[in-house]
Amino acid sequence: MNEDGLIDSPAVSFSEDEWQGVASAATEDQALYLELDGWEGPLDLLLDLARRQKVDLRRISILELVDQYLTYIEQAEALRLELAADYLVMAAWLAYLKSALLLPREEQPDPSPEELALRLQLRLQRLAAMRDAAARLMGRDRLGRDVFQRGAPEGLRIDRKNLWQCDWFALVQAYGQVKARTVPVVHMVRDRMVMTLDSALSRVSAMLGVNIDWMDLRDFLPPHADPKLKRSALASSFVAALELARLGKAEIAQEHVFGPLKLRGIKA
Amino acid sequence: MTRPDDLVRAVEATLFAAEEPMSAEAISTHLGGANVKDALAELAEQYRTRGVQLVERGKRWHFQTAPDLAHLLRREREETRRLSRAATEVLAIVAYHEPVSRAEIEAIRGVQTAKGTLDVLMEAGWVRIVGRREVPGRPVIYATTPDFLSHFGLESRKDLPGIDELRAAGLLDPVEDALAAAMDVPDVGETEPAEQESTD
Amino acid sequence: MTRPDDLVRAVEATLFAAEEPMSAEAISTHLGGANVKDALAELAEQYRTRGVQLVERGKRWHFQTAPDLAHLLRREREETRRLSRAATEVLAIVAYHEPVSRAEIEAIRGVQTAKGTLDVLMEAGWVRIVGRREVPGRPVIYATTPDFLSHFGLESRKDLPGIDELRAAGLLDPVEDALAAAMDVPDVGETEPAEQESTD
């Protein structure tokens, strides 16, 4: 079903005056008019037929409405007009509804035909209500048709102007940080107490020269030294001992793992 | 005509010059934060009987010509774009039922609504998408815009012609609800109509 | 405000809705040949003190915003904005080193300086171009303005703290150190917060 009715309809626009639609434009005695362009589907046609009964939609005779619809469809078929499927579906449904309504009450199927009829009636009422509402809406004093805004407004323009904010502290801090960021970087290593390998070597070899017995490596360390210097001296002296042993000037002994390291000079 | 006070004159000039309707807030902002409520009311009163009037539409204010002079002005303008019958119906359904999905519009009209129909209404600036309904399929839902209210001369949706009567008559309720009420079934969808024992 | 007579209202609405100024003849034709002279004079008088006025220019009439309210049509709105970090740095460099070229600013900052940054400072009224340096390329050189001094509450540029003072104030420490000091974290990276035994 397309928007504009059954047969390719030219009636895309309509004026508020013709609100009642094409079918309604037909006069009373033209009972057999067959104007198919005007409707937007079977519900629309039904509503138009219902309005012809000239009673409140709440008191509409559904049976009569069904008859009118079926007659209408039959005539269209007799004239070999091509009907869209949904008109035929509605016709079949209404025929069923009619037969169900005519059955004795106790033989009526479920859901009851009264309920189906009521549902149809409610739908017609709602469509009719919206159609009337639309007509009333369109009939209002509309801007640009009945009432007008100013034809040539000057227009309002707002130019934004920035009011910049910055304070003294932010300024000075920014400069400080630029300076800090761009000052050439100088790495300074802190002066630490160390015994170099050279001084350890001369110290150990000198002490080995005057002693002939085995001596613990720790005895070579300077007494009363700062603990940090002691660690450095121990490491240097150990390396010095290894170096002297390699040169054949000293021998090293250790009785067990992690035991005291003993050192003795070799007379050349 | 007495000289209006400065704030009234400023509001008057601002609204005259504005190309679009303005909210009280927008006017106030434009005038440096002044409270314009009273000035607007005074201005509306001063113009009430004139050939030009100050009106409020959807919380936005604008000047427009008096409706009773429409016959004088209409001829110089080409008529506003004519809406198709389908479009007017869809517009009414959106306005009276908003927010509403396309399926709900179609349920009332009994025909499918071409996509183009809603597009025409959105292009006119009268209808817009306001979100999605949180049901399966998450259908898009539509509602009217402030421009819709301005165009049809409505202060708010409460001014829609006949909306109170339609609501009171239940004609804005879905068919299912009305059916339930009419059949006196307390809750549709759960309660099946009580089965009658057939008397064979 | 008394209700103006019908002709006055009609002229009022016609001129309001017109897209161009209209001559008395054109208005008269539009209104079916009525004599609008008196109505125009009356209307002009009624609007004389309002925020909108009816004026005649070259025999044609139109409404316009009252001249004393023209400033409402084109408003300047001032927005307070904080200077960006980059702009603050550039401003500081100009202040400490002026007059200074853009290349020199970049050399001091160690990063390229967007043209926009200097524009912002000139828009703010704190920096101005004071000439060109007589070196190849004749680059523009920048200096601060008197507004700069007054905004920052300085008698003269000599009031800016010197490098030694900045260092003493900790403002020359690398950013991370300053941050750590500000956050009162004794030594970042080594001290983990002591783990509490959970009491299960």
Side-chain angles (χ1 to χ4, degrees):
Chain A
M1 191 68 229
N2 72 39
E3 206 52 267
D4 303 318
L6 278 179
I7 295 164
D8 208 27
S9 164
V12 187
S13 73
F14 79 107
S15 98
E16 288 74 31
D17 309 328
E18 301 164 22
W19 175 251
Q20 290 303 315
V22 183
S24 303
T27 53
E28 282 304 309
D29 49 16
Q30 280 178 293
L32 294 183
Y33 70 93
L34 276 171
E35 184 74 69
L36 286 165
D37 289 357
W39 291 291
E40 292 196 56
L43 198 64
D44 193 18
L45 171 53
L46 273 169
L47 178 58
D48 195 27
L49 294 170
R51 282 188 156 160
R52 262 149 218 288
Q53 291 189 14
K54 294 204 187 297
V55 292
D56 190 323
L57 278 180
R58 281 168 295 184
R59 280 192 288 278
I60 198 91
S61 160
I62 289 290
L63 268 182
E64 199 179 315
L65 185 61
V66 170
D67 281 338
Q68 286 171 347
Y69 184 92
L70 295 176
T71 309
Y72 192 89
I73 296 299
E74 274 164 28
Q75 284 168 350
E77 282 179 327
L79 289 174
R80 296 172 181 275
L81 288 173
E82 218 167 300
L83 285 177
D86 49 356
Y87 282 77
L88 299 174
V89 169
M90 177 63 92
W93 186 80
L94 289 175
Y96 163 81
L97 176 61
K98 180 182 172 183
S99 61
L101 282 169
L102 294 176
L103 282 175
R105 178 166 287 274
E106 56 273 15
E107 288 172 33
Q108 286 180 350
D110 185 62
S112 74
E114 275 87 7
E115 183 185 327
L116 296 175
L118 177 60
R119 186 187 291 268
L120 178 59
Q121 207 171 348
L122 291 170
R123 289 190 70 189
L124 290 173
Q125 281 175 26
R126 273 155 185 71
L127 181 58
M130 281 304 103
R131 201 155 279 183
D132 292 343
R136 291 173 72 180
L137 204 53
M138 293 300 141
R140 288 184 64 85
D141 290 323
R142 285 163 61 182
L143 202 59
R145 189 189 71 170
D146 307 293
V147 296
F148 298 90
Q149 285 178 282
R150 185 150 175 222
E154 290 100 335
L156 299 173
R157 230 182 77 190
I158 295 169
D159 298 330
R160 283 199 326 196
K161 189 182 173 204
N162 292 320
L163 204 62
W164 292 100
Q165 275 299 322
C166 183
D167 57 31
W168 182 89
F169 180 77
L171 182 77
V172 170
Q173 187 188 42
Y175 188 69
Q177 286 176 2
V178 168
K179 276 297 181 195
R181 195 170 67 216
T182 53
V183 155
V185 182
V186 179
H187 289 287
M188 304 264 285
V189 178
R190 206 176 297 154
D191 200 10
R192 289 175 64 190
M193 308 256 272
V194 291
M195 179 181 279
T196 63
L197 181 56
D198 281 343
S199 64
L201 207 54
S202 53
R203 184 183 169 85
V204 171
S205 53
M207 288 176 75
L208 278 179
V210 291
N211 287 293
I212 45 164
D213 290 330
W214 288 99
M215 278 178 73
D216 192 318
L217 183 63
R218 289 174 195 281
D219 298 335
F220 291 85
L221 305 184
H224 318 300
D226 182 271
K228 277 185 183 164
L229 178 60
K230 262 191 177 158
R231 277 176 80 82
S232 170
L234 180 62
S236 303
S237 300
F238 174 61
V239 176
L242 292 178
E243 178 66 12
L244 288 172
R246 188 181 70 84
L247 294 173
K249 294 181 177 169
E251 46 187 346
I252 302 173
Q254 188 175 30
E255 280 171 20
H256 49 90
V257 179
F258 294 126
L261 203 65
K262 300 226 163 127
L263 212 57
R264 187 171 68 175
I266 297 174
K267 292 286 179 238
Chain B
M1 209 150 150
T2 52
R3 183 188 166 93
D5 76 28
D6 284 346
L7 183 57
V8 169
R9 293 182 76 235
V11 172
E12 183 181 28
T14 301
L15 278 172
F16 249 79
E19 279 154 344
E20 303 257 306
M22 289 177 87
S23 67
E25 290 72 38
I27 300 168
S28 170
T29 305
H30 190 78
L31 297 177
N35 182 353
V36 297
K37 270 228 163 83
D38 293 344
L40 281 167
E42 193 177 331
L43 213 48
E45 176 55 28
Q46 286 172 358
Y47 273 92
R48 198 173 51 76
T49 58
R50 301 203 65 92
V52 171
Q53 297 175 353
L54 179 61
V55 293
E56 184 186 7
R57 303 285 183 247
K59 304 233 169 268
R60 302 187 307 172
W61 296 79
H62 70 259
F63 279 107
Q64 63 178 33
T65 55
D68 64 301
L69 298 173
H71 62 285
L72 292 174
L73 303 170
R74 200 177 288 159
R75 77 179 82 140
E76 78 173 42
R77 307 265 170 163
E78 55 202 68
E79 280 225 353
T80 36
R81 130 186 48 197
R82 289 198 157 182
L83 281 185
S84 73
R85 174 167 156 186
T88 51
E89 244 175 64
V90 170
L91 179 61
I93 292 170
V94 173
Y96 283 77
H97 290 81
E98 76 177 42
V100 67
S101 70
R102 197 164 136 189
E104 289 156 359
I105 296 170
E106 289 173 354
I108 294 170
R109 299 189 63 226
V111 278
Q112 287 207 351
T113 295
K115 181 80 175 61
T117 306
L118 277 161
D119 287 347
V120 163
L121 295 174
M122 288 199 277
E123 196 193 314
W126 294 338
V127 166
R128 69 196 160 111
I129 290 172
V130 290
R132 291 178 178 276
R133 201 174 300 299
E134 289 304 333
V135 296
R138 304 189 67 239
V140 162
I141 47 178
Y142 300 87
T144 53
T145 63
D147 275 357
F148 163 80
L149 296 175
S150 303
H151 182 88
F152 290 95
L154 302 163
E155 203 170 312
S156 73
R157 278 187 62 245
K158 289 190 195 109
D159 288 347
L160 284 168
I163 191 167
D164 291 338
E165 293 87 333
L166 290 176
R167 189 172 286 129
L171 286 171
L172 299 183
D173 301 333
V175 167
E176 296 309 324
D177 293 3
L179 195 67
M183 309 278 288
D184 205 17
V185 175
D187 199 353
V188 175
E190 283 192 46
T191 321
E192 289 282 324
E195 275 192 24
Q196 304 283 341
E197 288 286 331
S198 69
T199 52
D200 294 54
Chain C
M1 213 149 154
T2 51
R3 182 185 168 94
D5 77 28
D6 284 347
L7 185 57
V8 169
R9 293 180 76 239
V11 172
E12 184 180 26
T14 302
L15 278 172
F16 173 85
E19 276 154 8
E20 299 190 335
M22 289 176 87
S23 65
E25 291 71 39
I27 302 168
S28 171
T29 309
H30 185 81
L31 296 178
N35 183 351
V36 296
K37 270 227 162 78
D38 293 346
L40 279 168
E42 192 177 332
L43 211 48
E45 175 56 27
Q46 286 171 357
Y47 273 94
R48 199 175 50 78
T49 58
R50 301 204 64 92
V52 172
Q53 295 175 0
L54 181 61
V55 292
E56 186 187 8
R57 296 270 183 273
K59 300 239 167 261
R60 302 205 300 168
W61 296 80
H62 69 109
F63 280 109
Q64 67 174 31
T65 308
D68 64 307
L69 296 175
H71 64 278
L72 294 177
L73 302 182
R74 214 185 259 186
R75 275 222 94 107
E76 272 199 349
R77 194 158 77 219
E78 295 196 325
E79 277 182 14
T80 304
R81 294 181 61 185
R82 249 200 115 62
L83 213 54
S84 71
R85 163 119 216 120
T88 310
E89 282 184 15
V90 172
L91 179 61
I93 291 166
V94 175
Y96 274 89
H97 295 264
E98 75 178 41
V100 67
S101 72
R102 193 164 140 197
E104 289 157 2
I105 295 170
E106 287 172 359
I108 295 168
R109 281 189 77 210
V111 275
Q112 284 211 349
T113 296
K115 180 80 176 61
T117 309
L118 276 160
D119 289 345
V120 162
L121 295 173
M122 290 197 279
E123 184 196 307
W126 293 336
V127 165
R128 66 196 160 112
I129 292 172
V130 290
R132 289 179 179 276
R133 199 174 301 297
E134 290 306 332
V135 296
R138 302 188 68 240
V140 161
I141 47 177
Y142 301 88
T144 53
T145 63
D147 272 1
F148 164 79
L149 294 177
S150 59
H151 181 90
F152 290 90
L154 300 167
E155 286 280 309
S156 78
R157 280 182 52 245
K158 292 188 191 116
D159 291 350
L160 285 169
I163 292 299
D164 292 339
E165 294 164 87
L166 293 183
R167 186 173 289 120
L171 288 171
L172 291 194
D173 295 341
V175 181
E176 289 76 16
D177 290 4
L179 190 70
M183 308 276 285
D184 200 20
V185 176
D187 199 353
V188 177
E190 278 197 44
T191 323
E192 287 282 326
E195 273 192 26
Q196 303 284 339
E197 288 284 333
S198 69
T199 53
D200 287 56

